[in-house]
Amino acid sequence: MTLATDAASAAPGTRPGRRSVAPLLVAALVTLALVVASLFVGVYDLRADGGAAMFLITRVPRTLALVLAGSAMAVSGLVLQQLTQNRFVEPTTSGTSEWAALGLLLSVILLPGAGIATRMVLASLSAFAGTMVFLAVLRRVQVRSTLVVPVVGIMLGAVVSSLTTLIAISTNYLQLLGTWFMGSFTSVVRGQYEVLWVVAAVCVAIFVLADRLTVAGLGRDVATGLGLRYDRLILVGTALVAVASGVTTVVVGFLPFLGLVVPNVVSLLRGDDLRSNLPWVCLGGVALVTACDIAGRTVRMPFEVPVAMILGLVGAAAFVALVLRVRRRG
């Protein structure tokens, strides 16, 4: 493990040496302020009769769902970028989320009486299979430039999304599919969000495997030379991302570009050491999705704009900015 840690520290772009914890504490306080604000933003007046019950039934579960889903999807993007060695890959640009939606739709059609746990498992299995297909296709692509990799993922995701839509139209589930694609925390209440705690376990597992995933990001030859089982590590990393994507899709739907924007901003500011970046990525994911959700709840109050719509705007702008930055650097 010493070798892996040393290699991780030697990763390109890494800034060795101890860093002050003060910036991380400031980031944590800012994120905490957003989380607290999320608890008190909404149409219902908490000072009215039943306000305390409403607070516990809707506000607290919704905020916890924001924290869990935001951190999980941001960390998932970071892991996928390490495994594919490409900064533009995340669950929604690799087709992982689209495969999760396909699994979720099939679970509804084939097992209409199944509970949310069963749907979560099927969505995760479908997301895992789809991500492995994406990685298998990448191995056969001769041109592995920075932009080709996400284009391959987006194309595969579009094909799967088209198939999912066709099945939904044929079975009269198109409206339900539209709800999933439009990620929103509106329906998150007590009793419906608890499965999201699974993604907390995923985040812990990624923290434990951080050094090995960093070495895997240096390529098969380096990882194998340092004694790691590269293929097994790829499978484990892909499975963790699939579980996070599947569970999040079942509960709140798609959160586009979250795993793209946050890891890239953190890497630009701090370098590429996955272990030291993980707390920042978690905080960044929580802060971004919470800020977008608060904006969605307040911009047209008493109506609500889905968080996926705001994330899509922010993420698309960030994606274009990253592409232009890559072009300027040649």
Side-chain angles (χ1 to χ4, degrees):
M1 198 62 244
T2 303
L3 284 176
T5 304
D6 292 342
S9 300
T14 300
R15 300 171 185 174
R18 298 186 61 181
R19 292 171 166 132
S20 171
V21 297
L24 184 60
L25 289 176
V26 173
L29 289 175
V30 172
T31 304
L32 180 62
L34 288 169
V35 169
V36 173
S38 172
L39 290 170
F40 297 97
V41 173
V43 177
Y44 195 91
D45 187 359
L46 296 178
R47 294 169 296 182
D49 290 339
M54 185 64 69
F55 182 79
L56 295 176
I57 293 172
T58 63
R59 298 289 177 82
V60 172
R62 179 173 185 145
T63 302
L64 288 175
L66 285 167
V67 172
L68 294 170
S71 57
M73 294 310 294
V75 169
S76 296
L78 180 62
V79 172
L80 268 184
Q81 288 166 21
Q82 287 286 332
L83 298 182
T84 60
Q85 302 174 43
N86 190 289
R87 294 187 183 279
F88 293 96
V89 176
E90 61 110 22
T92 56
T93 60
S94 65
T96 304
S97 297
E98 284 79 2
W99 279 92
L102 176 61
L104 181 56
L105 178 62
L106 292 178
S107 72
V108 173
I109 296 172
L110 301 177
L111 301 170
I116 191 170
T118 303
R119 293 180 183 178
M120 180 184 71
V121 171
L122 292 177
S124 298
L125 290 175
S126 180
F128 177 77
T131 308
M132 293 307 298
V133 169
F134 170 65
L135 294 177
V137 171
L138 278 186
R139 290 183 180 180
R140 296 178 179 276
V141 174
Q142 298 297 323
V143 180
R144 297 285 298 273
S145 67
T146 303
L147 296 179
V148 166
V149 174
V151 167
V152 170
I154 291 171
M155 290 174 61
L156 289 174
V159 172
V160 175
S161 180
S162 299
L163 175 62
T164 305
T165 303
L166 178 62
I167 296 174
I169 292 174
S170 304
T171 54
N172 292 324
Y173 281 113
L174 187 60
Q175 186 174 1
L176 187 61
L177 186 66
T179 304
W180 292 335
F181 278 118
M182 189 60 70
S184 174
F185 291 83
T186 305
S187 60
V188 175
V189 294
R190 188 171 63 190
Q192 295 186 2
Y193 85 98
E194 284 78 1
V195 293
L196 271 177
W197 285 107
V198 173
V199 302
V202 171
C203 291
V204 172
I206 291 173
F207 268 98
V208 173
L209 296 172
D211 291 331
R212 290 177 172 82
L213 292 171
T214 301
V215 176
L218 299 177
R220 176 189 293 274
D221 293 340
V222 175
T224 304
L226 290 173
L228 293 182
R229 296 181 178 179
Y230 179 79
D231 290 332
R232 190 172 69 174
L233 195 56
I234 292 294
L235 284 176
V236 171
T238 303
L240 292 174
V241 172
V243 170
S245 301
V247 174
T248 305
T249 301
V250 169
V251 179
V252 299
F254 288 0
L255 298 176
F257 297 116
L258 184 61
L260 173 71
V261 175
V262 176
N264 275 289
V265 171
V266 173
S267 293
L268 286 174
L269 297 176
R270 294 179 45 81
D272 294 331
D273 183 8
L274 188 147
R275 176 174 291 282
S276 67
N277 283 352
L278 274 174
W280 287 90
V281 172
C282 284
L283 290 174
V286 173
L288 180 58
V289 75
T290 304
C292 290
D293 186 65
I294 292 174
R297 279 188 275 176
T298 55
V299 69
R300 288 197 63 198
M301 191 177 286
F303 302 103
E304 182 171 326
V305 179
V307 67
M309 185 177 296
I310 300 177
L311 271 176
L313 292 173
V314 175
F319 188 85
V320 172
L322 288 170
V323 170
L324 295 176
R325 185 174 184 274
V326 169
R327 288 191 61 183
R328 283 198 300 270
R329 296 176 62 181

